[in-house]
Amino acid sequence: MGLLVLLLGLVFASMYVYRYFFITQLPRESVFHCGVLYEDSLYSPFKGQLELHEDVKIYIEENYEQINVPVPQFGGSDPADIIHDFQRGLTAYHDITLDKCYVIELNTTIVMPPRNLWELLVNVKKGTYLPQTYIIQEEMIATEHVSDMEQLGSFIYRLCSGKETYRLKRRSTRRRISRREAGDCHRIRHFENTFVVETVICKKS
């Protein structure tokens, strides 16, 4: 009888340790307030390092990320809410200044999957990585209007419902465009990797 009680105790202890470890390592939802330092020689050659802040929510089980970028301190970039939906393979940008949504295929070369991003941010929080990095640019053209919002999935639907929503198409150019060349474009700076991304969204000419 004593041996049975001991074995049952070990089983329950093992279940508790496993459950605790699982929840600690892979939470259903994780919220991070992040800040990163980076250099931008094109737009601020004399300012040295710039700082970018954002709030990141990572949903590992649902396989998507939600990012809020507040009004940046340096100007020239719009505040935004961003959804990266890995189930649908879509990214949605809600430009808060314009109150418009833009949707494009998810770029997995730039955006880390939820589990990888969670691990990166946990290590940043522990001080494993120094928050100093660089910036790259991706250029987009707004194309057709999206009328059927439900086809975008529930996460993007909640973000963009009731807002003007457009499809985006990536430009083939590789170089960064200057302010003078940008025309009727808006910029959103964000990060979901080890570098900062400047997403430039332009009206179709």
Side-chain angles (χ1 to χ4, degrees):
M1 183 68 180
L3 180 60
L4 180 60
V5 172
L6 177 61
L7 289 174
L8 286 173
L10 289 174
V11 168
F12 285 120
S14 299
M15 290 174 62
Y16 176 79
V17 169
Y18 173 77
R19 184 172 181 272
Y20 177 80
F21 177 79
F22 181 81
I23 292 174
T24 303
Q25 296 301 314
L26 295 175
R28 183 175 180 274
E29 172 188 346
S30 293
V31 180
F32 298 88
H33 178 69
C34 307
V36 65
L37 299 173
Y38 66 99
E39 294 183 354
D40 184 356
S41 58
L42 180 59
Y43 291 102
S44 57
F46 305 110
K47 292 183 180 179
Q49 289 184 327
L50 298 174
E51 190 170 0
L52 178 64
H53 292 273
E54 66 182 31
D55 293 314
V56 182
K57 293 183 179 179
I58 301 175
Y59 300 84
I60 294 176
E61 290 184 8
E62 292 85 352
N63 206 23
Y64 81 99
E65 303 158 3
Q66 183 173 351
I67 298 170
N68 170 258
V69 184
V71 178
Q73 297 176 351
F74 56 84
S77 179
D78 290 352
D81 291 312
I82 304 169
I83 293 282
H84 297 298
D85 187 344
F86 280 78
Q87 289 184 354
R88 293 273 179 167
L90 294 173
T91 289
Y93 303 93
H94 172 219
D95 188 312
I96 296 174
T97 300
L98 301 176
D99 196 25
K100 293 180 180 179
C101 268
Y102 302 92
V103 182
I104 193 168
E105 292 82 7
L106 178 62
N107 187 350
T108 55
T109 62
I110 290 179
V111 183
M112 280 187 170
R115 186 190 300 258
N116 300 72
L117 182 60
W118 180 84
E119 291 174 353
L120 173 68
L121 296 181
V122 167
N123 285 325
V124 169
K125 191 174 181 180
K126 291 178 180 177
T128 306
Y129 298 93
L130 292 175
Q132 298 177 1
T133 187
Y134 57 95
I135 183 171
I136 66 170
Q137 186 185 78
E138 56 176 1
E139 302 168 32
M140 317 284 196
I141 295 291
T143 57
E144 72 268 16
H145 181 266
V146 178
S147 55
D148 183 6
M149 298 295 295
E150 292 185 359
Q151 65 175 319
L152 303 176
S154 60
F155 308 135
I156 294 177
Y157 178 84
R158 287 198 297 266
L159 177 67
C160 297
S161 179
K163 304 175 180 68
E164 287 186 54
T165 303
Y166 299 88
R167 292 276 184 180
L168 291 175
K169 181 180 179 181
R170 288 187 175 86
R171 276 180 169 170
S172 57
T173 181
R174 297 179 181 178
R175 66 184 179 88
R176 295 185 67 190
I177 56 177
S178 66
R179 293 179 186 274
R180 185 171 53 187
E181 295 173 310
D184 193 0
C185 301
H186 287 259
R187 294 175 170 81
I188 299 171
R189 291 190 177 186
H190 51 100
F191 61 94
E192 45 278 291
N193 208 314
T194 57
F195 48 83
V196 174
V197 178
E198 181 180 67
T199 299
V200 182
I201 300 174
C202 303
K203 284 186 176 180
K204 189 176 181 179
S205 57

